[in-house]
Amino acid sequence: MKDEGLRFIEREESLISQEEKFLIKTEFHGLSHYPSKEMLSPYFQKHIENNANENSASYQEEEYKLDNIPSWKYFKQFAVFKKRAAIFAKALAEKSIPPQDIKNLNAYDLIALLKNYNQKHDIANFETAKSKFIKYFIQHHEVDYRNYMLENKAVILYALKNKGIELDLKKNHHAYEEFIEKNIILMKTKGSVPPLFNLHHKRPVKDSNSNENLSMANNYKNLCLILESPYHNMLHLFDTNILGKTIFNRKVKRIELPEDLIFFGGFSRKFQIYRQNENNYSDILTQVINKKKKQK
């Protein structure tokens, strides 16, 4: 593993709060998971029970100062939430929550408000960090990804069969190639994670630091498309102790993947794809102009 650039590291587990972790995962997965009743604050639960009629709104969105909500300091770290500040205010007004009471709300309450408001007003949910990453990956690494899939055809077919996906190559000799192309199209258009693969956070979500920007957990540099079995499963073996319970308040060992690694399909470098350094066109243009000025 060391020969292939992978190494074990030992770090102090930072233990971010459950609300912080929930926001990171919500940006990553989207609003698909609605907070359970137990997650909602006692104040919000009581307010919902006592104010079933949403048409009794008596407040304006301008009256809400979101900074008065303790968890808003976490929401502001995510662009998808920060730019929806007006929607959060409208949702609060629609639920007739007194502006002076918003200090009693937690992060789960706000996510519930956002999801309900979007559904009621037929507003599309934000694109997930997962979808954005897949589109980014296939945009920059389509050739390398296709070559990996073609060069490892036997392994991929075997893994697909174990997943209940069996391609009939006898009837259609091009079934495998068509399978690859179909999934590449889905990656480009919908940001879909292809079969057999998953996304891996190089620095685990629970290792995020409360003093940093929480959205960095879902940054492209921290994500890697990885073959689910055995590699993704193996990396997460180090998240638990022998009893299967998460170990807190101690140094933990992790397998650290190289920073520029964006695809992990095996230990050997030939089964990996590394992030290309996309040049900034404006920077290059500036360098050319300055060079010409010096020549003159």
Side-chain angles (χ1 to χ4, degrees):
M1 290 171 65
K2 287 181 180 179
D3 290 342
E4 298 300 338
L6 307 180
R7 63 191 181 97
F8 282 100
I9 61 168
E10 191 173 63
R11 70 159 63 98
E12 201 74 46
E13 217 167 19
S14 56
L15 287 184
I16 60 173
S17 70
Q18 291 300 314
E19 288 185 57
E20 293 171 274
K21 190 185 299 184
F22 185 81
L23 290 181
I24 292 173
K25 291 187 175 182
T26 299
E27 187 206 29
F28 186 73
H29 292 292
L31 296 172
S32 55
H33 300 294
Y34 190 89
S36 65
K37 184 177 180 180
E38 294 72 25
M39 300 166 98
L40 302 176
S41 68
Y43 172 85
F44 191 59
Q45 291 184 48
K46 185 176 181 181
H47 183 83
I48 293 175
E49 293 173 2
N50 297 337
N51 297 273
N53 184 6
E54 294 184 7
N55 296 320
S56 60
S58 56
Y59 304 102
Q60 300 299 316
E61 60 182 279
E62 295 80 10
E63 297 180 64
Y64 294 97
K65 307 298 180 187
L66 298 182
D67 283 326
N68 292 332
I69 304 173
S71 62
W72 186 249
K73 63 183 177 183
Y74 304 135
F75 277 87
K76 290 193 297 185
Q77 297 178 31
F78 299 87
V80 292
F81 298 136
K82 187 176 182 180
K83 71 180 183 180
R84 286 169 173 76
I87 292 181
F88 281 110
K90 289 177 181 178
L92 288 164
E94 195 171 84
K95 283 292 184 181
S96 301
I97 296 177
Q100 67 271 18
D101 289 349
I102 62 175
K103 62 181 182 294
N104 299 313
L105 302 176
N106 64 27
Y108 307 115
D109 300 336
L110 291 182
I111 291 298
L113 281 167
L114 178 62
K115 184 165 185 175
N116 288 336
Y117 188 88
N118 285 353
Q119 289 178 340
K120 181 178 179 180
H121 297 278
D122 197 25
I123 298 175
N125 290 325
F126 58 82
E127 184 174 13
T128 67
K130 178 166 63 175
S131 172
K132 289 179 181 177
F133 172 83
I134 292 295
K135 290 179 181 178
Y136 170 87
F137 167 78
I138 202 64
Q139 177 187 354
H140 293 93
H141 304 281
E142 179 180 346
V143 174
D144 289 334
Y145 173 75
R146 182 183 283 103
N147 288 340
Y148 169 87
M149 295 295 286
L150 291 173
E151 290 170 7
N152 294 279
K153 180 176 180 179
V155 174
I156 298 298
L157 283 173
Y158 180 77
L160 285 171
K161 187 175 181 180
N162 286 339
K163 282 281 188 179
I165 304 173
E166 193 162 1
L167 304 179
D168 193 342
L169 300 182
K170 292 182 178 180
K171 287 186 178 180
N172 181 3
H173 295 300
H174 301 291
Y176 183 68
E177 288 74 14
E178 291 172 1
F179 169 81
I180 294 174
E181 296 307 318
K182 175 184 175 181
N183 283 288
I184 286 178
I185 291 173
L186 290 175
M187 292 169 80
K188 288 180 177 179
T189 57
K190 297 186 177 181
S192 302
V193 178
L196 303 181
F197 291 90
N198 207 327
L199 284 191
H200 177 67
H201 286 85
K202 298 178 188 177
R203 184 182 179 95
V205 169
K206 65 182 178 182
D207 282 355
S208 300
N209 194 319
S210 295
N211 297 321
E212 299 173 356
N213 188 323
L214 295 175
S215 67
M216 292 305 294
N218 295 327
N219 185 277
Y220 294 161
K221 288 185 178 180
N222 195 44
L223 297 176
C224 182
L225 184 62
I226 188 170
L227 198 62
E228 178 73 36
S229 179
Y231 305 112
H232 194 230
N233 295 335
M234 180 201 69
L235 294 184
H236 280 292
L237 286 175
F238 297 91
D239 290 342
T240 57
N241 65 6
I242 56 174
L243 298 177
K245 297 180 180 178
T246 303
I247 304 173
F248 294 122
N249 297 323
R250 70 168 182 87
K251 287 186 176 181
V252 292
K253 286 191 174 182
R254 307 280 195 218
I255 294 179
E256 187 177 75
L257 300 180
E259 182 178 324
D260 292 334
L261 183 67
I262 198 169
F263 176 90
F264 190 98
F267 285 120
S268 172
R269 181 87 182 227
K270 69 178 182 179
F271 299 134
Q272 301 168 11
I273 299 173
Y274 282 75
R275 187 170 178 266
Q276 298 171 356
N277 293 318
E278 295 84 24
N279 294 317
N280 187 307
Y281 178 76
S282 61
D283 289 344
I284 297 174
L285 187 61
T286 301
Q287 292 173 14
V288 172
I289 292 173
N290 291 338
K291 187 175 180 180
K292 287 185 176 181
K293 285 181 179 178
K294 287 181 180 179
Q295 291 174 347
K296 288 181 179 179

